[in-house]
Structures are given as structure tokens and as C-alpha cells.
Amino acid sequence: YKLRKDEVTARGEEWHKQIEETVKKLHQELDDMQKEHEAVLQKQKEKFEEMVWKVNKINGKTRKLQKSKNVTEMQSFVPVIQKQESLSEVSQYSFPILYEYKIDEYLENKLKENELSGRIISEIPTVTSVIDTGFPADAKNKNRLCDMAVTDDNKVWMGGAIKELKLFDLQGHLHHTIRITTNGWYLCMYNKQVVYNDGIDNTVRMISDTDTVVTMFTTGDWDPYGVTSAASGDLLVCLLTDDQSKVVRYSSTGTVLQEIQYGSQCQPLYKQAVYITENVNGDIIVTDWKKNAVIAVDRLGIFRYSYSGKDTKFDVCSVATDSVGHVIVTDFKGDKIHMLDRDGRFLRYIIPEGGIKDPRSVCILGHGEMMVGECLTGIAKRIKYLEE
């Protein structure tokens, strides 16, 4: 107990130190900003005072001319008035925003992570079933299985390097096949229907109850990549054009509700946002293939964290989140899955018995299970990673 108390004391001192350093840094930033703004405003004040002096001088002159009724001199004085500068607007400044984070909220989140609603992380995750999707390999990269989406009744839509979407149950039985006009690269469920992105004509499409393909909206000159449904009832789509990448929130009719592209210093957040998910706390999380990183922003689009792997062999692919807020990331060349907490901190690797080869797509099934797709074999493995 003495050792544990010492640990708590040390952690408390560490937090106090971090708080003091942060407060000191914010004070310095505010002081520097205040000096800069005061200098600019003082310069503007002097300019305005000079202009007021000139205007008063002109007013005195015009009053004299009015009394003299000297028309010729009046006419010659008009251009002098017209040449006077107009007042420019006073500079407007934005101040730094301070974000509140309650200690009890932090502790509550930590308890949730530790307890996992009565479940613990399996030491050796087990593969409970295997599905051979039967997708053929494409000629370029030998890709087969690219993305998956879980239905409400625990079936899984799968898409790959062929113009078909397939619906499997968790035991691997094929229930349905839908022909589409593009490869099934990126999928999600929306209002109980499967949605996919068509990069050929930059559209987002849905399969209706009658197996009809319905175009929901187009993304203009931007190529659509990963797509996910948000808790708000909107769709979040990764878009790419030339060397720019962004995340856009769309309504079901295609109205742009939010664009996320730049950070607080106006620098691009993404280089190539590919897969996307929304966490239970509202974070919008993408995998960026050019940055080789997981990038998270909050619901307002403000940067939260970036994760680039625990070692140098990290090869980010896709991302999903579970009901507790864990972030599950597939590591394509590393042949493993990374588990992070909701703040982007590494928790552990998930490597099932028998291993996983070239994992690309991942989705959460519930009941402590996930489905992970091996891109090059076309096999999907159902993995139990939490235990009662």
C-alpha cells in the first residue's frame, strides 16, 4: 500500500507539473499576443488621430468658405476634400480557445477501459470461424478482399476486387450477391442498407431493399474513398483530388454539412485519408496511407491525436472502433492489429492463434468479436478478443 500510495503521489505531482507548464505556456502566448495586438492598435490609433486632426482642419476651412460665399475658392477646395482617406476597419483578433477536461470524466473513461463492461482482453485471441469470400485477385496488386460492413442481424457485407458485393453470415454461408458497376473498395451500413463508393463517376450509392442501386449524391471533382455512417444520421466520406485530401460530412441527400481539411495553423490535416470511422465519443478517425498514420479529430474537426505505430514496421490500413471506444487498426505488412484507447494511446497488439496475413478490412461484430479480412487471400477471420 505504501508503494501504491507513492505511485499515486508521483502521478499527482506529474499532473501538477504538466498543468503548471501548460498554464505558463498559455500565459506566455497570451502576453506575446497582447504585445503584438497593442502595437498594431497603437499604430492605428495614431493614424486615426492624425486623420481626425485633418478632418477638423478641413471643417474649419469649409466654415470660413461658407461665410465668405467665395464660389471659386469653394470649387477649388472640393478636390482637397475628396482626396481624404476613408477610415479603415479596426483589426479584429481571435483569441486562443481553452478546452475543459474534467478529472472525473477522465477517471470514468479509464475505469471503462480497464473494466471493459465486465470483460478483459484475451491473452491469446481466438479465431472462431473463417470465411472464404471467393473474390478473385486483381491484376495490379493481387488484392481480393477490401472492405466489410456488419448488418443489424449479424451478417457481413463484403466487397473486393470485383464488381460484386456479397452477404455472408458469421458461419461463412453466402446469403446474397449484388452486381454493381465498380469494385467494392469502401462500404458501410446506413439506415440498414449497404452503401458503397463508386470512384468511376464519384458517386455514393446505396442498395435498396429490392436490390436496386440508388445514387445518393455525387462528390464532384473529388474521388470518394472510405465512408461511414455517423451517430447524427449523416455520412462521413474521405475525399481525394490531386494532392489534397479531406473529410466531408454529408446529409442523406448530399448536402455538405461540414468539411474537415486543415488544422489550427491552416496546415493540411491529411495527405491521403482512406478508411474512416466515428468513435463513441464523436471523434472522427481516418487512416492516412501517405502519412502512414491514424489521424483523429473531434466532432468539430479539431485535431485530437495522431498514431504512427509502436515500431518502425507499421503499415496502416483500415480502422474501426468498438462500443467501449477502443480504436482497432489493421497493420498490413506487420500482420497484426493494433488496439488503442480513445485518446490514441497504444494498448496492445491483437494477433490471433494461427496469425493473420496482410490484414486490410476490419469491423466490430459485438460480443467481444471482430471480423478481419486478409486482403491477398480473400479470407475473413472472426476473432474473439474480449472475454467475460
Side-chain angles (χ1 to χ4, degrees):
Y1 278 97
K2 176 69 167 59
L3 288 172
R4 187 51 52 88
K5 282 184 178 180
D6 290 342
E7 289 174 8
V8 172
T9 301
R11 177 58 59 88
E13 290 173 352
E14 180 186 340
W15 284 352
H16 279 290
K17 184 179 178 182
Q18 289 178 0
I19 290 169
E20 289 170 358
E21 288 175 353
T22 301
V23 169
K24 185 178 178 182
K25 181 182 177 183
L26 286 172
H27 280 182
Q28 185 61 52
E29 288 177 358
L30 288 168
D31 288 341
D32 293 344
M33 190 178 291
Q34 182 177 354
K35 288 178 183 176
E36 180 185 343
H37 291 175
E38 283 179 343
V40 174
L41 288 171
Q42 182 61 36
K43 189 175 180 181
Q44 286 185 335
K45 180 185 176 185
E46 292 170 358
K47 185 177 180 181
F48 290 160
E49 288 175 342
E50 181 183 355
M51 292 176 72
V52 169
W53 179 82
K54 287 181 180 179
V55 169
N56 288 336
K57 186 177 179 183
I58 290 171
N59 283 341
K61 176 75 171 176
T62 54
R63 280 194 293 270
K64 289 180 181 179
L65 287 173
Q66 189 178 22
K67 290 179 181 179
S68 71
K69 297 182 181 180
N70 188 331
V71 177
T72 304
E73 194 172 352
M74 283 182 185
Q75 289 175 338
S76 65
F77 195 67
V78 169
V80 176
I81 299 173
Q82 292 174 337
K83 285 181 182 177
Q84 294 306 307
E85 295 178 66
S86 60
L87 292 174
S88 60
E89 292 184 2
V90 179
S91 299
Q92 301 295 318
Y93 301 105
S94 59
F95 293 92
I97 301 170
L98 305 180
Y99 294 97
E100 180 181 351
Y101 200 95
K102 297 178 181 177
I103 292 295
D104 56 354
E105 183 182 344
Y106 173 82
L107 293 174
E108 182 183 349
N109 289 341
K110 293 303 292 181
L111 286 171
K112 283 182 181 178
E113 288 171 11
N114 292 335
E115 292 175 2
L116 297 172
S117 302
R119 292 174 179 162
I120 58 173
I121 302 173
S122 304
E123 282 302 317
I124 303 178
T126 56
V127 176
T128 55
S129 63
V130 174
I131 301 172
D132 187 349
T133 61
F135 287 123
D138 67 5
K140 185 178 180 181
N141 298 313
K142 306 302 180 186
N143 291 332
R144 294 178 187 269
L145 178 55
C146 300
D147 206 0
M148 303 182 293
V150 184
T151 66
D152 287 348
D153 58 351
N154 258 353
K155 294 185 179 67
V156 184
W157 281 103
M158 301 198 184
I162 189 175
K163 295 175 182 179
E164 288 181 353
L165 299 180
K166 298 182 179 183
L167 181 65
F168 291 88
D169 63 26
L170 298 186
Q171 287 70 46
H173 302 118
L174 178 62
H175 283 251
H176 206 40
T177 301
I178 298 288
R179 290 287 299 172
I180 57 177
T181 56
T182 184
N183 290 346
W185 296 116
Y186 308 106
L187 316 176
C188 78
M189 296 304 300
Y190 182 75
N191 290 339
K192 299 185 179 182
Q193 307 297 327
V194 64
V195 169
Y196 68 94
N197 284 342
D198 189 333
I200 296 175
D201 57 3
N202 293 355
T203 56
V204 177
R205 293 186 164 138
M206 175 190 289
I207 307 297
S208 72
D209 287 330
T210 59
D211 291 349
T212 305
V213 176
V214 178
T215 298
M216 298 180 69
F217 53 86
T218 65
T219 57
D221 296 330
W222 293 74
D223 298 327
Y225 279 63
V227 58
T228 192
S229 58
S232 60
D234 309 318
L235 281 170
L236 296 166
V237 186
C238 295
L239 299 180
L240 185 73
T241 181
D242 299 327
D243 59 345
Q244 297 183 67
S245 185
K246 63 182 177 180
V247 170
V248 175
R249 183 188 297 272
Y250 289 97
S251 70
S252 60
T253 56
T255 301
V256 174
L257 303 175
Q258 181 186 21
E259 290 194 4
I260 304 168
Q261 188 172 4
Y262 299 104
S264 59
Q265 304 299 318
C266 295
Q267 80 282 8
L269 284 168
Y270 316 112
K271 287 186 177 180
Q272 188 183 13
V274 178
Y275 285 92
I276 184 167
T277 189
E278 183 185 62
N279 210 344
V280 291
N281 62 353
D283 284 353
I284 301 166
I285 307 169
V286 307
T287 54
D288 191 311
W289 284 11
K290 281 191 177 178
K291 286 190 173 184
N292 195 30
V294 176
I295 300 171
V297 299
D298 66 16
R299 68 186 74 232
L300 299 176
I302 299 169
F303 177 79
R304 282 263 289 124
Y305 63 81
S306 177
Y307 172 77
S308 298
K310 199 171 181 298
D311 53 53
T312 56
K313 296 180 181 179
F314 183 57
D315 184 29
V316 71
C317 205
S318 66
V319 62
T321 55
D322 64 17
S323 60
V324 185
H326 290 121
V327 182
I328 310 298
V329 184
T330 55
D331 185 345
F332 187 80
K333 292 181 180 177
D335 293 334
K336 55 182 173 283
I337 296 110
H338 299 234
M339 176 185 278
L340 317 179
D341 68 12
R342 65 177 63 200
D343 296 312
R345 292 184 289 260
F346 176 82
L347 293 177
R348 62 162 297 168
Y349 292 126
I350 296 175
I351 305 174
E353 287 180 309
I356 191 91
K357 182 66 176 170
D358 303 313
R360 176 166 175 162
S361 52
V362 59
C363 58
I364 305 300
L365 303 175
H367 307 295
E369 292 184 316
M370 67 175 71
M371 187 75 79
V372 180
E374 295 184 341
C375 181
L376 303 186
T377 65
I379 290 174
K381 292 184 176 180
R382 179 183 172 191
I383 300 170
K384 188 168 183 61
Y385 68 103
L386 297 179
E387 296 178 354
E388 295 295 340

